[in-house]
Amino acid sequence: MRLPRDHASSEMLTEITVVGDDDTGIITEVTAYLSEQAVNVEELDQAVQDGIFRMSLYADTSEMTVSQARLRDDLDGLGDDLDVDVQVWFPNRTETRSIAVLVTKESHCLEALLEKAGNDDLGAEIGVVIGNHSDLEPLATEHGVPFHDIGDEKGVPDEDELLHHLDNYDIDLLALARYIRILSPKVVFRYRNRIINVHPSLLPAFPGASAYSQAIEKGVRIAGVTAHYVTTDLDQGPILTQRAFNVPHDPTERELEERGQPLEVEALTDAIELHLDQGVSVHRGRTELRNPEETTTQLGIPEHIERLNPDGPVDGHDRYVEEYVEKKASADS
């Protein structure tokens, strides 16, 4: 179910997410309450997967009859009555936004994010680092950021514990800094278009595990990395930024990692900054720059490289057909 809106205006709307067990009446109860408070629903999208219900709602709260705090409290209470989780993000919030960085064992992306945040270059604070192993706890501790290990001895994460920490630290955005685990719908649904992952391939090529190894096996000459929003379809979410590099002759996986990891950092940080600056929108599964003239960030190939590509020849078959038809018509007349 979807109500249409201008996709470019979402930064001025309040986002409300409802997640819980699938049941009847949830949509009616939530939208009825919003209507009573003069909240105008601009877009409503709902889905069910693996028995989990998700509703994402964008609304104009500029003329609502209650305060932001009251709206949050009322929706929390309504969520308790309906046995669902309700989260509210108001537009143009003035308080500092908070990022949770999810990690496994690779340190390069986390280290770069911690340094940028520490230098006030990220546009948000890193509120917490969460891992399914404890290997990177010393790195987080060195930068004064809390660390929580939610994995068992095999690294299997406890997602209920993950959600507890995300709520406790009032997280706005999740950054998957080489977090080698698949997030379930109960996490993805709660943070729709608020989870950014970096994957070591030019998606949609080589999704899943061992992407650099897959690139070697397929003999590609150009490989790369992709930062994208996370959806419930593995490595298929809307693409934010991509970076590419040449594959050397007979490479090892480690050689590709050494070429790709600096680009993983660049793609991920650029994607996070775009999101935080509200510089990108998602429309029909594709990201678009809201104001391309106001940013130097490249979603794809940098302009100076693109200019090296030839601009011709291009298919002119239609032109020749049109000329033939015109000449034949003229001759017949």
Side-chain angles (χ1 to χ4, degrees):
M1 173 181 178
R2 182 181 293 273
L3 303 176
R5 67 173 172 86
D6 176 7
H7 69 278
S9 63
S10 63
E11 70 271 21
M12 301 306 298
L13 300 175
T14 295
E15 181 182 353
I16 301 172
T17 300
V18 180
V19 178
D21 293 335
D22 188 25
D23 201 356
T24 58
I26 297 175
I27 296 176
T28 301
E29 292 283 348
V30 173
T31 54
Y33 166 77
L34 294 175
S35 178
E36 291 170 1
Q37 315 309 322
V39 174
N40 185 43
V41 176
E42 299 285 342
E43 178 183 310
L44 189 157
D45 179 53
Q46 62 90 22
V48 177
Q49 185 170 337
D50 298 337
I52 299 175
F53 168 83
R54 184 268 299 164
M55 177 173 70
S56 298
L57 183 152
Y58 288 91
D60 181 356
T61 54
S62 61
E63 299 182 5
M64 66 180 178
T65 58
V66 294
S67 67
Q68 291 186 358
R70 176 64 183 274
L71 185 75
R72 268 209 175 102
D73 289 344
D74 286 353
L75 287 173
D76 281 342
L78 182 58
D80 290 341
D81 294 340
L82 298 172
D83 197 24
V84 295
D85 178 63
V86 182
Q87 297 191 53
V88 181
W89 285 281
F90 290 101
N92 301 325
R93 53 181 294 181
T94 57
E95 63 267 28
T96 301
R97 288 165 293 182
S98 187
I99 298 174
V101 183
L102 274 59
V103 298
T104 296
K105 294 184 177 182
E106 296 182 33
S107 64
H108 56 289
C109 287
L110 174 61
E111 183 175 4
L113 290 174
L114 289 169
E115 289 180 357
K116 286 183 73 72
N119 294 328
D120 295 326
D121 291 334
L122 195 59
E125 67 177 13
I126 295 179
V128 63
V129 177
I130 301 173
N132 63 316
H133 292 280
S134 62
D135 297 53
L136 300 182
E137 182 173 4
L139 180 57
T141 301
E142 179 184 348
H143 287 266
V145 177
F147 182 96
H148 296 278
D149 179 5
I150 61 168
D152 63 15
E153 64 279 0
K154 295 183 179 179
V156 177
D158 183 336
E159 288 198 338
D160 289 332
E161 186 179 355
L162 170 61
L163 289 172
H164 168 75
H165 292 311
L166 297 178
D167 183 60
N168 188 46
Y169 287 95
D170 192 20
I171 294 302
D172 296 289
L173 177 69
L174 281 66
L176 275 54
R178 303 299 291 126
Y179 179 69
I180 316 300
R181 284 289 172 176
I182 297 173
L183 295 174
S184 76
K186 70 179 180 181
V187 177
V188 175
F189 280 173
R190 282 172 168 82
Y191 293 89
R192 184 187 183 214
N193 288 346
R194 291 180 181 272
I195 308 174
I196 296 176
N197 180 49
V198 63
H199 182 77
S201 81
L202 291 172
L203 291 173
F206 313 137
S210 304
Y212 288 136
S213 179
Q214 292 182 63
I216 294 171
E217 291 173 2
K218 294 298 183 181
V220 300
R221 303 306 307 173
I222 298 175
V225 304
T226 303
H228 64 97
Y229 284 121
V230 172
T231 65
T232 54
D233 297 319
L234 178 62
D235 294 331
Q236 299 299 307
I239 291 171
L240 286 156
T241 57
Q242 292 185 300
R243 301 292 182 267
F245 61 89
N246 285 324
V247 177
H249 173 70
D250 195 22
T252 65
E253 186 172 0
R254 181 56 190 164
E255 286 176 319
L256 291 199
E257 288 176 350
E258 290 174 349
R259 294 194 178 207
Q261 285 179 350
L263 296 179
E264 292 172 21
V265 170
E266 181 178 288
L268 179 60
T269 54
D270 280 356
I272 289 171
E273 290 168 3
L274 269 174
H275 175 91
L276 293 172
D277 292 341
Q278 297 180 331
V280 66
S281 64
V282 179
H283 185 51
R284 296 180 179 177
R286 178 181 171 88
T287 55
E288 302 173 0
L289 290 174
R290 295 189 193 278
N291 300 296
E293 68 283 353
E294 297 179 6
T295 179
T296 58
T297 298
Q298 296 291 322
L299 299 186
I301 298 173
E303 289 184 9
H304 71 277
I305 295 178
E306 188 171 20
R307 285 196 295 267
L308 298 177
N309 291 332
D311 58 6
V314 295
D315 184 14
H317 176 70
D318 292 344
R319 176 169 58 84
Y320 292 122
V321 170
E322 291 173 1
E323 291 177 355
Y324 173 79
V325 171
E326 291 175 358
K327 289 179 180 178
K328 189 173 186 305
S330 176
D332 291 342
S333 62

